[in-house]
């Protein structure tokens, strides 16, 4: 089993502290950064995770995209963090 990344550790801390979040997606991108998305998080949860990751010495960029849901018939904002550990 592989070691836990800083990104996953912080995501689990924020999830435990807020009680929000069901599934954590922590994918490695081609350039070596990590892409963190958590179902059920608010914008504030991502901001808190970004602050913690910065304290751990990571470079963090919040990515926000406005998308349209055909199923829901509405626009929504998709957020994720791109983390260089």
């Amino acid at each position: 089993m592989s070691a836990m990344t800083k990104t996953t550790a912080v995501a689990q801390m924020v999830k435990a502290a807020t009680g929000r979040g069901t599934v954590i997606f922590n994918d490695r991108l081609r350039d070596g950064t990590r892409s963190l998305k958590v179902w059920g998080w608010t914008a504030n949860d991502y901001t808190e995770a970004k602050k913690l990751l910065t304290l751990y010495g990571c470079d963090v960029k919040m990515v926000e995209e406005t998308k349209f849901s055909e199923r829901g018939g509405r626009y929504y904002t998709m957020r994720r963090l791109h983390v260089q550990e």
Side-chain angles (χ1 to χ4, degrees):
M1 183 164 187
S2 63
M4 183 182 303
T5 64
K6 292 177 186 177
T7 306
T8 298
V10 166
Q12 289 179 348
M13 283 191 280
V14 173
K15 183 178 166 186
T18 63
R20 286 185 294 272
T22 54
V23 180
I24 296 172
F25 296 93
N26 179 16
D27 303 318
R28 187 177 62 81
L29 303 178
R30 286 188 178 158
D31 63 0
T33 60
R34 313 277 323 166
S35 177
L36 174 68
K37 178 176 76 173
V38 182
W39 285 351
W41 271 15
T42 64
N44 288 337
D45 298 332
Y46 282 101
T47 302
E48 290 303 314
K50 182 178 177 181
K51 288 178 188 176
L52 285 170
L53 285 163
T54 302
L55 288 173
Y56 280 122
C58 300
D59 291 328
V60 185
K61 177 183 172 189
M62 187 180 302
V63 178
E64 295 182 335
E65 294 180 39
T66 301
K67 295 188 171 197
F68 184 76
S69 169
E70 292 289 336
R71 178 183 285 179
R74 63 181 175 86
Y75 287 93
Y76 67 98
T77 302
M78 184 276 310
R79 291 178 185 86
R80 65 183 67 224
L81 297 178
H82 285 181
V83 183
Q84 181 66 49
E85 294 191 352

